[in-house]
Amino acid sequence: MQRLVLAYKNFAANKNISHIGLGVSALNTCKVLRRAGIIVDVWPILSAKDLGDRLQREPVTHVVISAPWIPSLELQSLVLTHSSTRFAVNCHSNVGFLQADSNGVRLIREAMDVEVATHNFHAIGFAPPTRAHVPTCPTSTILNPTT
């Protein structure tokens, strides 16, 4: 049985709730996918180690990490360690925002290198402008829980 996890960086650590953008987005996406019959959970995480530990306890088939924030070597190690799990990092930011975050641009570039080097990882993005600038990056769909 397939099981998806939407993982995001937990800025509100240890409170089990986040009203911060990535947490809200993950929760709304989860609601839409569950309504469509897809088994999906939201995991607020603190690090690649935190995600890896949770995957050891609760194996899943797919993980989408919200935003490129996990250091690339840790991400690659996680992907290789959990070779039966399909991973994606979703770059939800537009190009203008990324210009202000040089680390984000580097992580996206390195994520594409991880994608080339592994069988179970993809770099994905929301906005068509992101895809236009990163041609190997498939576009994901924005889901609205109110429709």
Side-chain angles (χ1 to χ4, degrees), residues 28-84:
N28 287 333
T29 301
C30 177
K31 288 177 182 180
V32 171
L33 293 175
R34 283 186 175 197
R35 196 175 308 139
I38 298 169
I39 300 169
V40 59
D41 290 303
V42 175
W43 290 357
I45 58 172
L46 299 171
S47 64
K49 181 183 180 333
D50 187 27
L51 179 56
D53 291 347
R54 186 110 184 235
L55 287 169
Q56 289 290 5
R57 293 189 310 271
E58 302 176 56
V60 301
T61 57
H62 297 78
V63 174
V64 175
I65 300 167
S66 298
W69 61 272
I70 295 177
S72 301
L73 290 176
E74 294 176 32
L75 179 64
Q76 184 168 4
S77 176
L78 184 67
V79 168
L80 293 173
T81 300
H82 300 277
S83 62
S84 295

Side-chain angles (χ1 to χ4, degrees), residues 10-144:
N10 185 7
F11 292 99
N14 303 318
K15 294 183 181 156
N16 288 332
I17 188 166
S18 174
H19 298 294
I20 299 169
L22 293 177
V24 172
S25 178
L27 180 59
N28 287 333
T29 301
C30 177
K31 288 177 182 180
V32 171
L33 293 175
R34 283 186 175 197
R35 196 175 308 139
I38 298 169
I39 300 169
V40 59
D41 290 303
V42 175
W43 290 357
I45 58 172
L46 299 171
S47 64
K49 181 183 180 333
D50 187 27
L51 179 56
D53 291 347
R54 186 110 184 235
L55 287 169
Q56 289 290 5
R57 293 189 310 271
E58 302 176 56
V60 301
T61 57
H62 297 78
V63 174
V64 175
I65 300 167
S66 298
W69 61 272
I70 295 177
S72 301
L73 290 176
E74 294 176 32
L75 179 64
Q76 184 168 4
S77 176
L78 184 67
V79 168
L80 293 173
T81 300
H82 300 277
S83 62
S84 295
T85 302
R86 295 190 64 185
F87 290 87
V89 168
N90 182 21
C91 178
H92 66 286
S93 299
N94 62 35
V95 174
F97 179 82
L98 289 173
Q99 289 174 340
D101 182 7
S102 60
N103 189 51
V105 172
R106 181 180 53 79
L107 289 174
I108 293 167
R109 202 172 46 247
E110 291 174 355
M112 290 187 289
D113 291 339
V114 173
E115 181 173 11
V116 170
T118 61
H119 70 278
N120 59 328
F121 175 80
H122 296 283
I124 62 173
F126 271 140
T130 302
R131 186 173 181 180
H133 287 77
V134 186
T136 64
C137 210
T139 303
S140 60
T141 306
I142 298 173
L143 302 173
N144 183 342

